[in-house]
Amino acid sequence: MKRVSVSVLAICIIFTACVTNTITGRKQLSLVSDSELQTLALSQYKQFLSANKLVPAGNKDAEMVKRVGSRVSLALKTYYAQKGLPNALNGYDWEFNLVESKEVNAWCMPGGKVVCYTGLLPVTQNETALAIVMGHEIAHAILGHGKERMSQQMAAQGIGALGSVALGTDTRTTNLFSQVYGLGAQYGALLPNSRKQELEADHYGLIFAAAAGYDPRQAVAFWTRMAAVGDGQKPPAFLSSHPSDEDRIRKVSEVMPEALQYYRPQ
């Protein structure tokens, strides 16, 4: 009986808590507020920085990460303003850091805290490819993909059925946050993005990189290099739930004309 009740609650939540994303036009489940999510993200981010080794300011690679991040975040502001959404990114206080790690990965937290790992740089090889990765990860955050995954898990467990949930005071939701974003977690510990979310991040991340003045046509070469990482072994965490290599490259090629409309070399 309890199992049935939880299922009924989950169905009710799904039908009453869906919102339409203003950029993608897709309906997404939303059970947590952006402000609560950003507050919890900031706390987790600070813990991550205290437990990991940052590449210091002045290092050429660290400065490249900050330069790329600054250009992409500025392009985002312009992009959203052009869409009639100048306040859509309120609460985002952008910060970009490079962390010493062999992991081939990067991520963006709600609120604009972005980290790249040094293990990613041999694959990106250049600033433009790094911008494509950062655009992808930033797209995940600003399109609400983590929030959507967390809401789906909350609905499945019947959390939030009685209204909004205070993330910082409910251990179930803080645990889910750690699962979804999993800073410093081992490979496979994170709740995966859906294929639809990954393709959205590819699509809009490419546009954001192009709008920042980075040539989106380099995306195909970069994703081809990324596909070769691991040489047939376990893929890097960055690719753990992504579409097949062939599907990704095909989709990226399909949206290339749209991305090129935003491209203005700097």
Side-chain angles (χ1 to χ4, degrees), residues 118-257:
T118 53
L120 179 65
L121 300 184
V123 185
T124 55
Q125 297 183 2
N126 58 64
E127 187 167 324
T128 295
L130 178 62
I132 290 165
V133 174
M134 291 178 69
H136 175 101
E137 292 303 319
I138 287 171
H140 273 311
I142 64 177
L143 295 180
H145 290 164
K147 178 180 179 180
E148 182 180 20
R149 284 180 291 148
M150 186 168 176
S151 296
Q152 289 166 346
Q153 291 295 314
M154 290 170 65
Q157 297 180 32
I159 304 173
L162 301 180
S164 63
V165 175
L167 297 185
T169 60
D170 190 312
T171 57
R172 296 173 301 172
T173 56
T174 54
N175 288 340
L176 278 178
F177 183 93
S178 297
Q179 284 183 282
V180 169
Y181 293 100
L183 301 188
Q186 295 298 313
Y187 174 85
L190 308 184
L191 293 178
N193 293 303
S194 71
R195 182 176 178 277
K196 183 174 293 186
Q197 289 174 335
E198 288 299 337
L199 292 175
E200 281 182 354
D202 283 348
H203 179 177
Y204 290 97
L206 197 64
I207 288 174
F208 301 152
Y214 294 101
D215 188 347
R217 289 168 292 194
Q218 291 199 32
V220 172
F222 163 70
W223 288 118
T224 300
R225 292 196 299 273
M226 184 64 86
V229 173
D231 192 25
Q233 304 301 312
K234 181 178 70 175
F238 184 73
L239 294 179
S240 60
S241 60
H242 287 209
S244 70
D245 302 324
E246 296 81 3
D247 195 26
R248 155 164 280 124
I249 291 171
R250 178 174 60 82
K251 292 290 187 180
V252 164
S253 298
E254 287 176 358
V255 301
M256 192 65 67

